[in-house]
Amino acid sequence: DVKVTQSSRYLVKRTGEKVFLECVQDMDHENMFWYRQDPGLGLRLIYFSYDVKMKEKGDIPEGYSVSREKKERFSLILESASTNQTSMYLCASRAGTSADNEQFFGPGTRLTVL
Amino acid sequence: GQNIDQPTEMTATEGAIVQINCTYQTSGFNGLFWYQQHAGEAPTFLSYNVLDGLEEKGRFSSFLSRSKGYSYLLLKELQMKDSASYLCAVIGYGGATNKLIFGTGTLLAVQP
């Protein structure tokens, strides 16, 4: 059974803290993605990676960085958390470059920054 | 630029049929996905269309017209468990091949 897992379902952090969100997939997928989801704004792409150590900015990369040291793991880092980064964070993975490949999502991490 | 539009909310009655529309304007087009997302859960794949026409999958069907930049998701014999958000997403060409651009989603409420 295909699986994308995220390290936490709920996380509460303070302004200025460094925050790590971890994502692991067991499908040997080349592509991994980090989105945030906010009411009325839908899913917005933060960063994605198409190979180990490769990364590309999505639509809203400001305030975030990522790391992909191993194929199965993609980490999202908030260098200095701010209240406007309170959101639901979704990780996803997808195989290869074929357009019709399904994208699989993790269960999400609801991050609250106080 | 990229723009994907869906209605924000819809309401329908159990047993009925509902059509959720999606219009898109993107710099490249290599297919359109529909995902279902129940509250507090991850989105799950429903369908992929790249050619014009209707694709049927049980109670769910998805239609695409590339010339009009238009798709719809048709849900028949609605059940209470179909209450969820429905997300339309477009995938592009070349450097954009690997990433989906999502609309804001349509929240469907199915009433008894």
Side-chain angles (χ1 to χ4, degrees):
Chain A
D1 210 16
V2 153
K3 219 169 232 179
V4 180
T5 56
Q6 295 182 228
S7 49
S8 308
R9 288 303 302 270
Y10 299 93
L11 209 52
V12 180
K13 295 291 181 181
R14 296 210 173 271
T15 301
E17 278 193 81
K18 191 167 185 175
V19 182
F20 292 86
L21 302 182
E22 305 284 343
C23 175
V24 176
Q25 51 96 3
D26 66 359
M27 297 162 281
D28 201 35
H29 285 170
E30 292 81 1
N31 308 294
M32 295 188 75
F33 308 84
W34 275 107
Y35 295 87
R36 62 178 284 178
Q37 186 173 33
D38 301 287
L41 297 175
L43 278 164
R44 292 181 292 166
L45 184 64
I46 305 170
Y47 265 98
F48 66 104
S49 168
Y50 52 88
D51 201 352
V52 176
K53 296 194 187 293
M54 307 303 289
K55 60 185 179 186
E56 284 203 26
K57 293 180 180 178
D59 300 316
I60 51 163
E62 297 78 18
Y64 303 94
S65 62
V66 290
S67 172
R68 187 138 181 232
E69 296 297 316
K70 292 184 178 181
K71 191 175 186 181
E72 67 270 18
R73 189 179 295 270
F74 192 36
S75 303
L76 181 69
I77 303 151
L78 286 66
E79 295 290 342
S80 177
S82 63
T83 54
N84 64 11
Q85 291 178 310
T86 292
S87 186
M88 170 67 86
Y89 290 87
L90 287 161
C91 175
S93 74
R94 209 159 154 265
T97 56
S98 183
D100 61 343
N101 287 340
E102 182 181 339
Q103 185 159 302
F104 296 89
F105 286 85
T109 296
R110 184 163 292 284
L111 173 67
T112 301
V113 183
L114 301 175
Chain B
Q2 322 262 37
N3 195 41
I4 300 172
D5 285 317
Q6 307 176 234
T8 305
E9 294 182 3
M10 297 182 72
T11 303
T13 305
E14 196 176 12
I17 299 172
V18 71
Q19 177 175 312
I20 302 174
N21 296 325
C22 172
T23 58
Y24 62 89
Q25 291 174 304
T26 56
S27 52
F29 180 82
N30 202 12
L32 186 143
F33 290 81
W34 282 97
Y35 277 80
Q36 180 190 59
Q37 186 178 24
H38 286 101
E41 297 182 13
T44 54
F45 171 83
L46 288 177
S47 67
Y48 170 77
N49 295 66
V50 67
L51 300 176
D52 288 351
L54 187 69
E55 299 257 352
E56 297 189 63
K57 221 188 249 187
R59 293 190 301 114
F60 291 11
S61 303
S62 55
F63 171 84
L64 177 68
S65 167
R66 288 172 298 174
S67 62
K68 294 181 179 174
Y70 168 68
S71 173
Y72 67 73
L73 182 69
L74 194 71
L75 291 73
K76 302 177 193 172
E77 300 167 20
L78 279 172
Q79 302 175 8
M80 298 300 290
K81 68 178 181 180
D82 297 330
S83 292
S85 282
Y86 291 87
L87 313 178
C88 171
V90 170
I91 191 163
Y93 282 106
T97 296
N98 292 331
K99 60 177 185 176
L100 299 180
I101 305 298
F102 282 86
T104 54
T106 299
L107 182 61
L108 173 67
V110 179
Q111 297 178 340

